[in-house]
Amino acid sequence: MTEFEFDSHMSDLSVEQRELIANVFKEHEFKDIKIKVQPVGSEGDNFGANVKRIIGEKDDKTFKIIAKIAPKTEMLRVMANTVIFFKNEHVMYTEVLPKFTELEKAANIPKEERLRYATCYGTYLEAPNEMILLEDLEVPGYKMLDKVTSLSDEAVKLVLKNFAMLHSLSYALKYEQRETFEKFCQRLVNTWVLMAGVPEMIDYFEKLEVDVQTLIDDDKYKNAIKNTIGQVILRASELAKTYSSSKFSVIQQGDSWTNNIMFRLEDDRAVECCMIDYQLSKRSSPVADLHCLIFNCTDYATRAKHFYDWIDYYYLQLDKRLAKFELKTEEVYPRYQLEADLKLFAKFSLGHAIVMAGLVFREAGNATELKKAMNNDDPNKYMDGMIEQTKLSTSDPATIKKFKTRLEELVDSFIEFGYINASKIV
């Protein structure tokens, strides 16, 4: 038997990818084995990468890792910013997060109180074979929750506490090692800014809004979402400029929806969480992470009951974590700035949440067709396929009903929290 035998499901891996995987297993004393693979998630969960669970067994021992593998279709790679996504995550896992751990150790923060993230076993960045190998968090008992079900109050608070850790470490790095912080920020690319320079992407979101508008009957909701989806890229680009030089900026996680968070449960209650995706990490406001979590991962009833408590809880946790670095919250990120940012990011967040709702409620069959469209290398057919497959108006009635309910609940929340005015929104 050769040192390693890969099963047939890994036949499309490059020599370099196989070597990286083999080296990881060697380092963990797994040799002369057959390496097996299992898919991770279901259709519609992973469009920007092919995620696999890689398994090695020897005697009575098992070693598992997660491989995030870049798509090879050229058009998909261009439109999905594959090169940038994998570089961003490489920077986060190999430089930023380890640096944050150094800061925690220097501040004598106990291991059990530090920011939890998956161990990175290796990365490969040569296009088109990018790959990132990570700890399989299911081994220590973490699991992914249902993306269409609202996170509980307890689960939201766990993520907010994680954000307080992440953001406080950003501030600590900024105040202690400003040059290092700036270097990281420069290397983390804001893909929204890149999309703002691609007319086809702006056209795509404008057409998506036209389609969504056909589903809405009530003028209240029509007015509220006017120019939200269509201008989501431009608003994101404007916010990026605002925060590129802001003293309140942090390195944010950037994509905190349910499929990018894993929870450890005890008696069906979430007791720990860990973020698992840093491809959209960039310099921004702390509020960008809060908005993304709250408006993409919870329903109206849960938000209505807990929203203000969540904001207070986050700020309290941020205060506690900053104190460990001898920083004062009222100087680093004053409460008035938090409140101002909650309003500043509102229009973008509403548009983004509506787009995400369309992805979350897309039925599995449509997700399969979307993947086919995304793997088309003809530029015109690619965009036509994307527009056709992401249209909500052609979905089945049950999907449309769920989407409309989510949209109306989002608008109601934004209005009730004072972040938009349905009669004046433009």
Side-chain angles (χ1 to χ4, degrees), residues 80-135:
N81 291 301
T82 295
V83 171
I84 292 168
F85 278 2
F86 274 79
K87 283 185 178 178
N88 278 355
E89 197 150 39
H90 165 81
V91 170
M92 287 299 294
Y93 272 115
T94 65
E95 299 181 51
V96 178
L97 295 173
K99 170 59 73 173
F100 286 171
T101 299
E102 285 182 21
L103 295 177
E104 289 175 313
K105 289 179 179 178
N108 295 316
I109 296 175
K111 186 174 182 179
E112 63 274 13
E113 295 179 17
R114 296 174 195 164
L115 178 68
R116 178 74 161 93
Y117 55 91
T119 300
C120 181
Y121 296 120
T123 65
Y124 185 78
L125 295 182
E126 186 173 325
N129 299 309
E130 297 94 338
M131 183 173 69
I132 295 178
L133 302 180
L134 300 170
E135 172 189 6

Side-chain angles (χ1 to χ4, degrees), residues 151-181:
L151 293 183
S152 66
D153 174 43
E154 293 86 356
V156 171
K157 284 181 176 177
L158 286 172
V159 185
L160 290 174
K161 186 174 182 179
N162 255 34
F163 282 149
M165 294 179 188
L166 181 69
H167 299 160
S168 66
L169 286 162
S170 237
Y171 285 129
L173 182 63
K174 182 189 289 189
Y175 277 76
E176 294 179 17
Q177 302 176 38
R178 185 60 181 255
E179 289 186 4
T180 301
F181 174 81

